[in-house]
Amino acid sequence: MLILPFLLGMAASRALFLHIPLFICWLLIYLFIFQLLQGVRTRRFDRILKPLQVYGLLLLPFIIYLVVVEPRLLWFALLALPLFAVNLYYARTKNERALLNDISGILLFCLMLFPVFYIGGGTNWETAAELFILAFLYFAGTALYVKTIIREKNNPQYYYASVIYHCLFLLTGILIFPSLVFPLLILLARAAGLPRTKITAKRTGMLEIVFSVMLYISVIVLYF
């Protein structure tokens, strides 16, 4: 989720030098927020104060540089604040594994596609919107599918919800990005077949890297 929307935003525009400090900034923001949410959840800020200080000090010059070079990036940051507030709420209530919290986090990560697209001088915002929808639907389906293997593996309702979701994802793909029907069929087969095997959580995570790469290559080869 950290990398794929970023790469899709670059694919829809142009890869420029400014994307390098933007990605470093994005990575440091992720690391900073991860520690912050851990502190909110545990109420033990003394344990995460040092990494917060380190990531914050590393992050500050990149934020200043990007805001000076591209002040409009602040508007994209403002869009992310309500979603971050949702994550803070679920961390505070120690319910971070709630599906709504997952969806909020996915939206937050996928929104990164737009500033990357803007930085790259992209002009076709319709294409950027379609890729945002694709990334969001993919990761939302992945969140549901992973639950059928780990925490909800004995819950048939989650399994059927995941399969139905991926069927709807496929139908949406036929309407919005018909060139990507084949990889979406593979994702449907993944959701329907793998939970019925004895696949481990570790192998599931490793395979998700493969599926993400497959989707990215499919966009580059088939979509554009």
Side-chain angles (χ1 to χ4, degrees), residues 2 5 14 27 38 72 75 82 94-95 99 101-102 115-116 119 130 142 144 148 171 184 191 219:
L2 187 73
R14 292 177 298 154
L27 176 61
Q38 292 301 307
R72 292 183 181 178
W75 291 107
K94 297 184 179 181
N95 191 22
L99 188 59
N101 188 50
D102 291 340
V116 173
I119 286 290
E130 288 181 359
T142 297
L144 191 58
T148 66
L171 291 176
L184 297 187
V219 169

Side-chain angles (χ1 to χ4, degrees), residues 141 144-145 148 157-167 188 191:
L144 191 58
Y145 150 73
T148 66
Q157 292 181 339
Y158 260 86
Y159 171 77
Y160 290 121
S162 175
V163 173
I164 291 171
Y165 175 92
H166 281 84
C167 287
L188 172 59

Side-chain angles (χ1 to χ4, degrees), residues 92-106:
R92 181 70 178 175
T93 57
K94 297 184 179 181
N95 191 22
E96 292 175 294
R97 302 190 189 280
L99 188 59
L100 182 58
N101 188 50
D102 291 340
I103 298 301
S104 177
I106 290 167

Side-chain angles (χ1 to χ4, degrees), residues 4 133-143 165-166 169 187 190 207-213 215:
L4 184 59
I133 293 170
L134 175 67
F136 172 75
L137 292 178
Y138 165 64
F139 286 120
T142 297
Y165 175 92
H166 281 84
F169 185 15
L187 294 177
R190 171 203 66 170
L207 275 177
E208 282 314 301
I209 297 175
V210 175
F211 287 125
S212 295
V213 172
L215 187 62

Side-chain angles (χ1 to χ4, degrees), residues 40-111:
V40 171
R41 183 178 63 84
T42 62
R43 278 88 161 166
R44 293 294 306 271
F45 283 97
D46 55 310
R47 294 183 177 181
I48 51 91
L49 184 59
K50 187 173 182 179
L52 275 181
Q53 290 174 335
V54 172
Y55 293 135
L57 288 173
L58 291 173
L59 178 60
L60 190 58
F62 286 98
I63 289 179
I64 293 173
Y65 171 73
L66 289 170
V67 170
V68 169
V69 175
E70 283 290 351
R72 292 183 181 178
L73 287 175
L74 286 174
W75 291 107
F76 295 106
L78 289 175
L79 290 175
L81 287 179
L83 298 171
F84 177 58
V86 173
N87 293 150
L88 279 175
Y89 167 77
Y90 280 103
R92 181 70 178 175
T93 57
K94 297 184 179 181
N95 191 22
E96 292 175 294
R97 302 190 189 280
L99 188 59
L100 182 58
N101 188 50
D102 291 340
I103 298 301
S104 177
I106 290 167
L107 277 171
L108 186 60
F109 280 102
C110 291
L111 278 174

Side-chain angles (χ1 to χ4, degrees), residues 191-207:
L194 289 182
R196 295 188 175 276
T197 68
K198 295 182 179 180
I199 188 170
T200 63
K202 181 179 180 180
R203 289 185 178 179
T204 300
M206 294 172 65
L207 275 177

Side-chain angles (χ1 to χ4, degrees), residues 2-19:
L2 187 73
I3 298 175
L4 184 59
F6 201 99
L7 292 178
L8 291 177
M10 290 175 62
S13 56
R14 292 177 298 154
L16 300 177
F17 169 79
L18 197 56
H19 284 123

